[in-house]
């Protein structure tokens, strides 16, 4: 419990919501206990709990955040007890003991590939090299394994070290793996050449085999299933505009302008997924087929669950270009979201079944 509290610590601090921050800090000190039972996602615990605690520590210097982050990181280590060192996706905590990794046929690229930033900091703050060793081994396995056309499939066996199936996506199941590569390069002060090389090699493969332009001129990143493309893009994949913009500066000189334009075009496509929806909020996934572009074609994908990826790309593009269109697009999302909230509140207040 408490994921939202911990994940919000840095936001509360940066927004100078001092009372709320102190309340959250007190909860971490008094109520965030690690002697718990039950299962937890290695990935979610890392990015939300450990990431939140580390951010809070670096912003404030408060020891409670550092200590809790390290102790929680130690609780995750049993997930790496596999023949390859590729961690399994779920850890079960037992009171007073380290957890144990549950069985499972495959590990997910976006999950085991999104540990590097936090685990390097755990080593730096604790002096314990085990955290860094675990994530460096993941890189070693990924560098060694043969990749179809240079692409990284989404599922890998932690037992055999082989790809389980050839499904490639820059959206769900793959997304943050690529994000962590470019951010590892930047976080290292541009010394982590392995991360840099892996990022640009992967981006070149993505551009060669997944990138498409629709008949209407919209640039999108399709999904790849054993050589066959699904001409759709998930909302989660819309972070890629910002990521490509972020990485453009350190690309080969002749590619920098190209990557900046590519980032802008992908972000434009993601904006279109919002503009073409009835609510003006983007769907979970949108397709490019049968003459329809950047729209959801299935009811199961026609929903919005406060995903931030599109607005995140607006922010990166604004910071890089200062083109006011990105601020305008971001403000549109605020206004539409606020309108939906007020509309829901109005319907609630008018509901005769409401408790008086």
């Amino acid at each position: 419990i408490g994921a939202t509290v911990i994940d919000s610590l840095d936001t509360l601090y940066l927004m100078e919501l001092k009372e709320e921050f102190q309340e959250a800090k007190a909860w971490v000190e008094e109520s965030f206990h690690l002697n718990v039972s039950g299962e937890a996602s290695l990935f979610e615990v890392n990015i939300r709990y450990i990431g939140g605690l580390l951010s809070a520590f670096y912003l404030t210097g408060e020891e409670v955040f550092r200590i809790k982050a390290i102790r929680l990181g130690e609780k995750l280590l049993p997930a790496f007890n596999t023949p390859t060192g590729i961690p399994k996706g779920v850890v079960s905590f037992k009171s007073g003991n380290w957890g144990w990794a549950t069985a499972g046929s495959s590990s997910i690229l976006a999950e085991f590939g999104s540990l590097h930033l936090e685990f390097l900091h755990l080593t730096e703050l604790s002096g314990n090299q085990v955290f860094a060793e675990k994530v460096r081994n993941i890189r070693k396995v990924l560098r060694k394994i043969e990749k179809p056309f240079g692409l990284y499939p989404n599922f890998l066996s932690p037992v055999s070290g082989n790809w389980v199936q050839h499904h490639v996506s820059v959206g769900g199941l793959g997304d943050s793996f690529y994000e962590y590569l470019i951010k590892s390069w930047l976080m290292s002060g541009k010394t982590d050449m392995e991360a840099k090389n892996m990022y640009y090699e992967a981006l070149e493969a993505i551009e060669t085999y997944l990138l498409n332009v629709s008949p209407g001129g919209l640039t999108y990143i399709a999904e790849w299933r054993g050589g066959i493309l699904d001409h759709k893009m998930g909302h989660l994949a819309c972070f890629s505009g910002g990521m490509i913009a972020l990485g453009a500066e350190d690309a080969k000189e002749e590619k920098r302008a190209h990557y900046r334009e590519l980032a802008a075009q992908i972000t434009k496509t993601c904006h279109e997924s919002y503009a073409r929806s009835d609510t003006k909020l983007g769907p979970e996934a949108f397709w490019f087929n049968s003459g329809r572009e950047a729209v959801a074609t299935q009811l199961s994908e026609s929903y919005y669950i406060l995903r931030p990826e599109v607005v995140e790309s607006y922010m990166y593009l604004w910071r890089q270009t200062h083109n006011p269109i990105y601020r305008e697009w971001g403000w549109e999302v605020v206004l539409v979201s606020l309108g939906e909230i007020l509309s829901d509140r109005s319907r609630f207040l008018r509901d005769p079944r409401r408790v008086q």
Side-chain angles (χ1 to χ4, degrees):
I1 62 171
T4 301
V5 176
I6 293 176
D7 205 13
S8 301
L9 284 165
D10 53 354
T11 301
L12 295 173
Y13 187 85
L14 291 170
M15 293 182 70
E16 298 185 358
L17 296 171
K18 297 178 181 178
E19 183 178 338
E20 291 84 352
F21 178 82
Q22 290 301 325
E23 185 179 352
K25 177 191 168 188
W27 184 88
V28 172
E29 290 176 318
E30 300 165 10
S31 302
F32 182 49
H33 304 300
L34 300 181
N35 294 326
V36 295
S37 59
E39 293 184 339
S41 161
L42 171 70
F43 167 73
E44 297 289 350
V45 170
N46 180 63
I47 66 168
R48 304 196 191 285
Y49 288 91
I50 293 180
L53 291 166
L54 290 173
S55 296
F57 172 71
Y58 283 121
L59 286 168
T60 68
E62 296 278 1
E63 274 291 291
V64 61
F65 300 129
R66 183 185 72 88
I67 292 168
K68 295 262 183 172
I70 294 168
R71 287 185 57 204
L72 189 54
E74 292 169 349
K75 288 276 190 178
L76 298 182
L77 292 175
F80 295 83
N81 293 337
T82 66
T84 60
I86 296 293
K88 295 183 179 179
V90 177
V91 172
S92 179
F93 298 122
K94 294 207 176 215
S95 181
N97 299 307
W98 279 15
W100 45 268
T102 62
S105 60
S106 61
S107 297
I108 296 171
L109 179 67
E111 296 189 349
F112 66 77
S114 302
L115 303 169
H116 205 92
L117 299 175
E118 292 84 357
F119 271 52
L120 287 189
H121 279 284
L122 289 178
T123 282
E124 184 173 327
L125 294 177
S126 69
N128 187 344
Q129 292 299 315
V130 67
F131 300 110
E133 290 168 0
K134 297 298 184 186
V135 291
R136 285 177 180 141
N137 178 67
I138 292 173
R139 288 256 194 98
K140 181 180 177 182
V141 172
L142 289 175
R143 292 290 283 176
K144 184 177 179 181
I145 189 173
E146 184 177 349
K147 291 167 279 294
F149 304 102
L151 297 168
Y152 288 84
N154 291 334
F155 299 99
L156 182 72
S157 168
V159 176
S160 68
N162 297 321
W163 303 116
V164 174
Q165 56 178 274
H166 285 186
H167 172 221
V168 178
S169 169
V170 179
L173 305 175
D175 48 6
S176 51
F177 163 69
Y178 306 100
E179 176 188 10
Y180 268 53
L181 288 177
I182 189 61
K183 289 183 177 178
S184 292
W185 158 248
L186 296 173
M187 188 184 78
S188 71
K190 301 186 179 182
T191 61
D192 186 349
M193 293 300 298
E194 183 178 55
K196 179 184 181 182
N197 293 335
M198 288 176 70
Y199 170 76
Y200 288 109
E201 289 166 5
L203 185 56
E204 286 188 16
I206 288 165
E207 192 171 1
T208 301
Y209 296 102
L210 306 186
L211 193 70
N212 280 264
V213 179
S214 73
L218 296 179
T219 301
Y220 64 97
I221 302 176
E223 296 190 7
W224 190 86
R225 296 180 185 273
I228 300 173
L229 290 182
D230 280 342
H231 290 276
K232 75 168 183 177
M233 195 167 173
H235 194 294
L236 288 164
C238 283
F239 86 99
S240 59
M243 177 188 73
I244 293 169
L246 181 66
E249 179 183 343
D250 294 316
K252 295 176 182 177
E253 188 171 355
E254 65 271 18
K255 297 279 281 184
R256 291 172 190 171
H258 166 71
Y259 282 141
R260 291 190 182 104
E261 178 60 21
L262 178 59
Q265 290 302 318
I266 291 172
T267 302
K268 177 185 174 183
T269 296
C270 292
H271 173 260
E272 285 299 310
S273 77
Y274 277 56
R276 299 182 186 194
S277 76
D278 292 337
T279 62
K280 305 306 177 187
L281 292 171
E284 183 69 2
F286 47 95
W287 291 76
F288 300 83
N289 55 26
S290 304
R292 304 184 69 191
E293 298 185 1
V295 293
T297 60
Q298 303 174 30
L299 186 62
S300 61
E301 296 169 339
S302 300
Y303 61 90
Y304 175 71
I305 50 174
L306 301 179
R307 292 205 185 276
E309 292 79 18
V310 173
V311 175
E312 177 185 2
S313 284
Y314 294 166
M315 185 196 73
Y316 277 106
L317 269 292
W318 157 251
R319 289 286 178 87
Q320 186 176 88
T321 69
H322 292 286
N323 185 334
I325 192 64
Y326 299 113
R327 296 182 77 182
E328 293 169 16
W329 288 352
W331 188 239
E332 287 172 6
V333 177
V334 172
L335 293 178
V336 172
S337 300
L338 183 59
E340 289 294 315
I341 292 168
L342 293 176
S343 177
D344 286 344
R345 182 175 183 272
S346 178
R347 284 194 294 269
F348 171 74
L349 292 173
R350 293 196 307 269
D351 189 340
R353 297 168 297 177
R354 182 170 65 92
V355 176
Q356 299 298 320

